[in-house]
Amino acid sequence: MTAFQAVAKVRGRGGLALPALTAADYASNAEFMTAIRRERMAELAFEDHRFWDIRRWMIGPETTVIRRTRIVKDPATGKYVYSDYETNDRLWEDRMYLYPIPTTELNKNPKLKQNPGW
């Protein structure tokens, strides 16, 4: 199964008519990878996968700006108005890619070294 077929299978199982991704839509592998990451972020929202994906792909610095949408009902027209805004930047340090090794484990094995930054 190709990556395009796998995405099509996931998109098709919800019963929605989402367009299929094709190789012609992407000029490079980097663009396709960005689309896959976006797809995974939407598909697995609220399932606690995002944190681990950020660490796996080592894209922490790219995720520091949080975008939100404010939805307000306009009393004059009765319609909803959507506005995007950025919240406070999230803290990210490269040491967050790895957990610190507990001191008790470091004491048990003197050849073991602490992860960088901890």
Side-chain angles (χ1 to χ4, degrees), residues 69-89:
T69 301
R70 180 177 287 123
I71 305 169
V72 180
K73 188 172 185 178
D74 185 1
T77 63
K79 295 183 179 182
Y80 291 97
V81 178
Y82 300 86
S83 59
D84 290 338
Y85 66 99
E86 292 179 2
T87 61
N88 296 336
D89 289 345

Side-chain angles (χ1 to χ4, degrees), residues 56-70:
R56 179 183 313 108
W57 297 326
M58 299 189 83
I59 58 170
E62 300 169 25
T63 64
T64 58
V65 176
I66 308 298
R67 302 220 21 98
R68 295 183 180 215
T69 301
R70 180 177 287 123

Side-chain angles (χ1 to χ4, degrees), residues 50-60 63 92 97:
R50 182 71 177 154
F51 173 74
W52 302 106
D53 287 345
I54 289 169
R55 292 175 68 187
R56 179 183 313 108
W57 297 326
M58 299 189 83
I59 58 170
T63 64
W92 183 267
Y97 288 124

Side-chain angles (χ1 to χ4, degrees), residues 18-31:
L18 295 173
L21 302 180
T22 64
D25 296 333
Y26 304 99
S28 67
N29 286 342
E31 285 183 16

Side-chain angles (χ1 to χ4, degrees), residues 2-41:
T2 68
F4 294 108
Q5 291 169 335
V7 171
K9 186 174 182 179
V10 170
R11 284 182 158 211
R13 74 174 179 198
L16 300 174
L18 295 173
L21 302 180
T22 64
D25 296 333
Y26 304 99
S28 67
N29 286 342
E31 285 183 16
F32 179 66
M33 189 61 182
T34 300
I36 293 296
R37 288 176 178 170
R38 204 174 311 120
E39 190 79 22
R40 185 171 167 83
M41 182 177 60

